[in-house]
Amino acid sequence: MVRYTRMAAIVACLMMASAVSAQQEQTGQAQQAAQGQEATGAKQLDKLFLKQTAVDNTFEIQLSQLAEQKAQDQKVKQFAQMLVQDHQQAKQQLQQVAQKNQVQLPNELPEMKQEELSAYRQLQGSEFDQAYLSCMKVAHAKAVAQYEEKSQHAKIPEVKQFAQQTLPKLRQHKQQVVAMTGGGDEAQPAGSRQHNESDRQTPTGSQPGSSSGGTSTGSGTSSSGTGSRETGSGITTGSGTTGAGSTGGTSGGGSR
């Protein structure tokens, strides 16, 4: 009886150990399955990134080609030319990555993007320049964030490598467009900058006279070339009023 009890205890222990081992094995398999599903999901996100990037690239290329034709500011034209070249090169690399991973990239822009391009075609001059630069500023801020994430966390090696290789160019584009839109006068088209600089000029003849209250004699010949923007340079009193007398043979009122 004692011997039978011992044998039963041994069998029970073996059965318990076997159950624990089976449970651990099942847990390990479940963890591996979950990790596999997670990896599969991450790879699907990588492939989705390739498709979305193809759309963004095509849109920026076509919009920048339009900017090469319509932009008023020469700096905007040059920026657009650079974007066309860099994004066409990125597009070729993207197609190679997609083919290797059996991802079918879209050949045409979605309808919404086509309508957006049509809206840009209706703009002219500085209005187009400002709208184009604003679009590129937003687009590159978004692109840099996406590429930074994929350069670190992409599960498909080719996607990670593509993001790492393309990211420096995108950061350069972002810095340039930020400088052009957020750098004071640099954010304005050339024609607008010239107009503002002209408005900021202070007419020479309208400056107040000497603080001592005496009289200062201007030069009739030097002031007459300033046109209607300057007060005639006759005798200027300390209060800043312009006299009607003549200096150097030129009437102060004649230069108005």
Side-chain angles (χ1 to χ4, degrees):
M1 183 68 179
V2 174
R3 184 177 179 183
Y4 175 78
T5 303
R6 288 178 179 176
M7 289 296 297
I10 292 173
V11 170
C13 289
L14 290 174
M15 290 177 63
M16 183 178 296
S18 177
V20 171
S21 177
Q23 184 178 4
Q24 291 175 343
E25 183 177 357
Q26 289 176 356
T27 302
Q29 290 176 349
Q31 290 176 346
Q32 289 178 355
Q35 291 173 353
Q37 291 176 354
E38 182 180 354
T40 301
K43 288 182 179 180
Q44 291 300 322
L45 291 177
D46 289 350
K47 293 180 179 181
L48 182 62
F49 165 78
L50 295 178
K51 293 180 179 181
Q52 183 60 49
T53 298
V55 172
D56 293 341
N57 256 347
T58 300
F59 177 77
E60 288 189 32
I61 289 171
Q62 293 187 15
L63 181 56
S64 295
Q65 288 173 336
L66 185 63
E68 288 182 283
Q69 303 171 9
K70 294 177 68 70
Q72 174 177 289
D73 194 328
Q74 188 61 34
K75 290 183 178 179
V76 177
K77 284 183 178 288
Q78 293 173 352
F79 179 69
Q81 291 170 357
M82 180 186 68
L83 288 192
V84 170
Q85 294 175 359
D86 290 347
H87 282 275
Q88 282 179 338
Q89 182 178 359
K91 185 176 181 179
Q92 294 175 355
Q93 297 172 349
L94 179 65
Q95 288 173 339
Q96 294 175 0
V97 174
Q99 289 175 357
K100 188 169 183 179
N101 290 275
Q102 299 179 343
V103 177
Q104 182 65 40
L105 299 179
N107 294 322
E108 297 181 356
L109 289 174
E111 184 177 355
M112 184 176 64
K113 287 294 184 181
Q114 292 180 6
E115 292 176 354
E116 191 173 347
L117 277 177
S118 297
Y120 279 99
R121 293 190 183 99
Q122 307 304 316
L123 302 178
Q124 301 294 332
S126 61
E127 187 179 17
F128 174 87
D129 291 5
Q130 293 172 3
Y132 170 71
L133 290 178
S134 178
C135 177
M136 292 299 98
K137 183 176 182 180
V138 173
H140 282 86
K142 171 187 171 184
V144 167
Q146 290 177 336
Y147 277 70
E148 284 178 343
E149 195 277 332
K150 289 301 176 185
S151 68
Q152 298 178 13
H153 305 297
K155 298 301 181 182
I156 299 177
E158 294 82 10
V159 173
K160 178 179 284 191
Q161 184 178 12
F162 167 74
Q164 292 172 344
Q165 291 176 345
T166 310
L167 187 55
K169 279 290 185 183
L170 292 176
R171 285 173 173 162
Q172 178 187 348
H173 297 167
K174 178 184 175 182
Q175 290 174 354
Q176 287 186 256
V177 74
V178 166
M180 295 175 75
T181 57
D185 287 344
E186 291 298 325
Q188 304 175 11
S192 177
R193 286 199 301 270
Q194 292 173 357
H195 177 72
N196 290 342
E197 289 172 1
S198 175
D199 289 345
R200 285 197 298 267
Q201 292 178 355
T202 304
T204 304
S206 62
Q207 296 291 337
S210 63
S211 59
S212 62
T215 60
S216 59
T217 306
S219 170
T221 56
S222 64
S223 64
S224 61
T226 60
S228 60
R229 294 182 65 86
E230 293 190 23
T231 307
S233 56
I235 297 175
T236 307
T237 66
S239 62
T241 57
T242 303
S246 62
T247 304
T250 303
S251 172
S255 62
R256 296 180 64 86

